[in-house]
Amino acid sequence: MGFEIEFYSTSDGKEPIADFLDSLDVKMAAKLVGLLEILEEKGPELRLPYSGYIEDGIFELRCKHGSNITRVMYFFYAGKRIIATNGFVKKTQKTPKREIELAKERRTDWLMRNKEA
């Protein structure tokens, strides 16, 4: 049995990953959804060039279409769950620190609101 990807949702019910996917062009969004499905199947066995460990339990799903590069940040949770926290279009060589910090903040928030999970 594979993993299950959940999109982080804010306390008011917004899903930043869904909004991010909606903001992408159709081909990039389709490619990213395909990668999310592979991540569900492979979990932590998915490695570079598709998935990379960032720091402190945060990973990034790496998607490239033409010259456009997108990333989705995520973390693993007990019971084969993957929580996708945020996505962004990559414009620089390194993953922006603010995106890593955002992923950590959202993980902390998710864990606090999902203690029973």
Side-chain angles (χ1 to χ4, degrees):
M1 181 70 183
F3 286 72
E4 183 184 339
I5 292 181
E6 288 176 39
F7 290 173
Y8 165 85
S9 61
T10 60
S11 55
D12 59 2
K14 290 189 174 72
E15 289 187 335
I17 293 288
D19 294 341
F20 174 66
L21 285 170
D22 289 345
S23 76
L24 299 172
D25 72 63
V26 175
K27 286 185 175 162
M28 178 61 94
K31 192 164 184 183
L32 198 49
V33 167
L35 272 177
L36 286 164
E37 288 171 357
I38 293 169
L39 178 61
E40 273 191 317
E41 191 181 302
K42 304 267 188 200
E45 292 174 16
L46 188 64
R47 303 260 196 255
L48 289 172
Y50 306 110
S51 174
Y53 180 73
I54 299 296
E55 64 182 49
D56 193 26
I58 300 292
F59 294 79
E60 68 178 0
L61 191 63
R62 306 156 62 103
C63 187
K64 187 170 186 199
H65 180 72
S67 61
N68 296 323
I69 300 170
T70 57
R71 298 286 191 259
V72 169
M73 310 300 277
Y74 65 94
F75 65 92
F76 290 97
Y77 188 70
K80 293 196 163 196
R81 291 164 79 186
I82 299 168
I83 314 302
T85 55
N86 52 306
F88 61 98
V89 176
K90 192 159 184 253
K91 305 252 188 235
T92 58
Q93 199 64 30
K94 289 185 68 148
T95 299
K97 202 77 182 142
R98 71 179 185 283
E99 296 293 344
I100 297 168
E101 292 308 314
L102 182 58
K104 289 179 187 178
E105 286 167 22
R106 288 182 174 167
R107 176 182 58 192
T108 300
D109 178 58
W110 188 92
L111 291 170
M112 285 179 56
R113 290 189 290 126
N114 291 273
K115 282 194 169 112
E116 76 291 342

